[in-house]
Amino acid sequence: TPSPLAQAIRWGDMLFVSGQGPLDPETREVVSTDIIEQTRQTLGNLERVLEAAGADFTNVVNMRVCLRDSTDFPVFNVAFTKFMKGEKVTRTCIGGIPHRAGVNVEIDCVAMFD
């Protein structure tokens, strides 16, 4: 059955990007159990969706993060900060249970175009 979800939808000057997880784009398998590697892969996947829409992290105005284990937050936050290289966004981070087994982080975002 085809997925009812779009990777992203542009509405006017806004881009709404669906939640991305730590899946290898080629194999569609979870890359690792390590939260640092999962964070890097998830942000890389998010970056690829943004690029396909003609945007990058400088366009992002808000991100939402779901961590399977909220005690991963300090390590996640270090990996997130390093990946973002000083780029600032607003962000909410909650603990929850992503739908796919082995996925320990999921991130979505909203981006704006000029």
Side-chain angles (χ1 to χ4, degrees):
T1 310
S3 173
L5 304 177
Q7 290 283 22
I9 294 177
R10 185 167 176 170
W11 182 262
D13 290 339
M14 300 177 78
L15 181 72
F16 298 87
V17 181
S18 288
Q20 301 296 308
L23 305 182
D24 179 292
E26 301 295 318
T27 66
R28 303 298 299 155
E29 296 299 321
V30 176
V31 294
S32 169
T33 58
D34 181 71
I35 191 63
I36 294 171
E37 291 179 36
Q38 284 206 10
T39 300
R40 288 183 194 140
Q41 184 69 46
T42 299
L43 288 167
N45 291 344
L46 194 62
E47 186 172 46
R48 282 185 278 290
V49 175
L50 289 166
E51 287 171 355
D56 59 31
F57 284 118
T58 65
N59 298 91
V60 173
V61 294
N62 186 256
M63 297 174 103
R64 292 182 298 188
V65 178
C66 180
L67 295 175
R68 183 178 296 273
D69 183 350
S70 59
T71 63
D72 281 339
F73 180 78
V75 176
F76 157 80
N77 201 46
V78 168
F80 181 94
T81 301
K82 285 181 181 176
F83 189 96
M84 295 299 285
K85 299 178 184 141
E87 191 61 45
K88 300 283 187 185
V89 296
T90 62
R91 185 184 79 187
T92 300
C93 187
I94 64 165
I97 302 175
H99 71 282
R100 185 169 175 159
V103 170
N104 296 325
V105 59
E106 185 172 337
I107 305 173
D108 72 4
C109 73
V110 176
M112 296 291 295
F113 294 93
D114 294 332

